[in-house]
Amino acid sequence: MIKLLHIQSSPNLTNSVTRILSDEFVAQWRASHPETEVETLDLALDPIPHWGPDAIGGFMAKDGERTPEGQAAVDLSEKLIRQVEDAKILVIACPMYNMSMPTQLKSWVDHLTRAGRTFRFTGQGQYKGLIWNKKAFVILSRGGDYSQPPASASDFQEPLLRANLGLIGITDVTFIRAEGQRLQEAPSYIAKARETIAWVAG
């Protein structure tokens, strides 16, 4: 049995490109890998609290010295980490908001990234991820085309996700991009993304 964790992050529940394409990806993956068990984490419908004083205090305190609020933050982080550890495949749906990722997804990343738990420092400016043997597929959508300079210099969506996943040890990542969703060429970009999905999920 292969476990796939499907992460939705768009607060647009009606016509989100990343929701549509990631659902199609998961459907095609299940058709070609019928032994797959799918778990869905919808960060828009079930949002994760943003980091605040309770979370910071909880993560910094030792076991047995946390406030109830701090312990709750650590417990939530542990639950989210175990979801990822239990999965073999991650499918992350991420629209571009203001050149980066939605705040819902950033909160998930923050709870997932814990020194000593999902990565450890090995030296000055060096680290080692502690979550291994995962394959991630990230479905991206952007209003413009950020595939080439000079627009690519304003893309903080894909590089940030690649760095965050790499920090915790997930380095086998395939990005599937639906560029130009506010451009006249949007249908051709979606068609190209669907071709890629059929290739890698089939």
Side-chain angles (χ1 to χ4, degrees), residues 168-183:
I168 63 175
I170 302 175
T171 56
D172 186 0
V173 184
T174 297
F175 287 89
I176 301 171
R177 307 168 192 86
E179 306 271 4
Q181 293 309 298
R182 294 188 180 275
L183 303 178

Side-chain angles (χ1 to χ4, degrees), residues 111-122:
H111 281 77
L112 207 64
T113 308
R114 281 172 52 199
R117 179 62 178 88
T118 56
F119 75 98
R120 60 181 174 87
F121 293 106
T122 58

Side-chain angles (χ1 to χ4, degrees), residues 51 59-60 77-78 81 85 109-123 125-132 163-171:
W51 270 27
F59 293 153
M60 298 295 290
S77 172
E78 189 65 25
I81 290 169
E85 289 177 332
V109 167
D110 288 340
H111 281 77
L112 207 64
T113 308
R114 281 172 52 199
R117 179 62 178 88
T118 56
F119 75 98
R120 60 181 174 87
F121 293 106
T122 58
Q126 298 178 320
Y127 59 85
K128 181 179 180 64
L130 301 178
I131 296 181
W132 306 319
N164 285 147
L165 292 171
L167 173 61
I168 63 175
I170 302 175
T171 56

Side-chain angles (χ1 to χ4, degrees), residues 4-22:
L4 183 154
L5 179 60
H6 181 195
I7 301 161
Q8 294 280 21
S9 68
S10 175
N12 180 356
L13 303 181
T14 55
N15 59 350
S16 163
V17 170
T18 58
R19 283 183 176 274
I20 292 169
L21 292 180
S22 67

Side-chain angles (χ1 to χ4, degrees), residues 9 94-103 105-106 140-142 146 154-161 164:
S9 68
C94 175
M96 177 183 276
Y97 281 11
N98 301 318
M99 311 300 177
S100 185
M101 67 178 78
T103 181
L105 187 59
K106 180 60 167 62
L140 303 177
S141 69
R142 297 104 172 269
Y146 291 82
S154 298
D155 175 12
F156 301 98
Q157 176 195 33
E158 180 175 331
L160 183 58
L161 271 171
N164 285 147

